[in-house]
Amino acid sequence: MAVTDELLKANEAYAKGFTQGNLPMPPARKLAVVACMDARLVPSQILGTKNGDIHVIRNAGGIVTEDALRSLLISHYLLGTQEFIIINHTDCGMLTFKDEDLLARLQKETGTAAVSPNHFYAFDNLEKNVRRQIQKVKSHPWSPKSVPVRGFIYDVKTGRLSEVSA
Ligand SMILES: [Zn+2]
């Protein structure tokens, strides 16, 4: 059985016991997270939040891309979040390659160039990467000045978050 089919079975059981159908749309804790997609990093678990509490925007690396910015702007201006945090983590897959190598590999394996993505945003230093993401949020002309932007590294071995000074 494909994993998707297994998960659909799990969802059936979940829906049977579901009792949270009346949560409001705006996140109750008024916070948005940009986090890496790593399977070991589950924002609601590491932050102790519940359904309906926070917005979670995820991609490979926890990168503030154009699309992550789009989501943050909607999160704040339309849904009322008042704090942003960025979470990267130890042992991230993005530390294991270079953009140019992956671009070259994909071009070779598929036999064609592609319009996008232009960047995979691989990085070699976690702290620097987190700082760069904070700067990308803060420097955006539509970024709300009243909203603090803090960055953290999650340690996949200890479960602990450490703040990266901006
Ligand atoms: Zn990662």
Side-chain angles (χ1 to χ4, degrees):
M1 182 162 58
V3 173
T4 303
D5 295 320
E6 293 172 19
L7 301 189
L8 286 172
K9 279 227 159 67
N11 175 255
E12 258 176 54
Y14 176 75
K16 276 194 184 123
F18 189 69
T19 57
Q20 296 187 295
N22 293 314
L23 293 174
M25 186 195 297
R29 308 288 289 274
K30 299 185 188 298
L31 179 136
V33 183
V34 177
C36 184
M37 69 182 186
D38 191 283
R40 298 163 294 181
L41 192 179
V42 181
S44 61
Q45 281 180 17
I46 71 174
L47 300 170
T49 57
K50 304 191 300 279
N51 283 2
D53 273 353
I54 61 173
H55 278 153
V56 179
I57 300 148
R58 302 191 68 172
N59 59 33
I63 304 295
V64 175
T65 58
E66 184 182 0
D67 194 65
L69 273 164
R70 178 185 68 85
S71 296
L72 288 174
L73 293 170
I74 289 170
S75 177
H76 172 73
Y77 287 104
L78 299 182
L79 293 163
T81 55
Q82 301 297 334
E83 295 177 48
F84 294 159
I85 67 175
I86 290 152
I87 304 180
N88 284 192
H89 64 96
T90 59
D91 198 38
C92 186
M94 301 294 282
L95 294 159
T96 65
F97 70 97
K98 294 202 181 326
D99 271 31
E100 56 267 34
D101 295 338
L102 183 55
L103 287 165
R105 175 185 157 188
L106 291 173
Q107 181 152 353
K108 186 157 180 256
E109 285 187 16
T110 62
T112 183
V115 170
S116 70
N118 280 319
H119 305 283
F120 287 98
Y121 300 102
F123 50 83
D124 57 16
N125 182 302
L126 272 172
E127 282 83 7
K128 274 191 197 159
N129 188 63
V130 170
R131 271 188 209 106
R132 202 175 297 136
Q133 307 321 308
I134 295 172
Q135 289 161 6
K136 284 198 272 182
V137 177
K138 284 188 167 172
S139 65
H140 193 280
W142 295 344
S143 182
K145 299 298 169 229
S146 60
V147 170
V149 186
R150 295 167 68 179
F152 300 86
I153 293 172
Y154 174 71
D155 187 327
V156 297
K157 291 271 189 278
T158 66
R160 199 173 295 278
L161 283 173
S162 322
E163 184 152 15
V164 175
S165 58

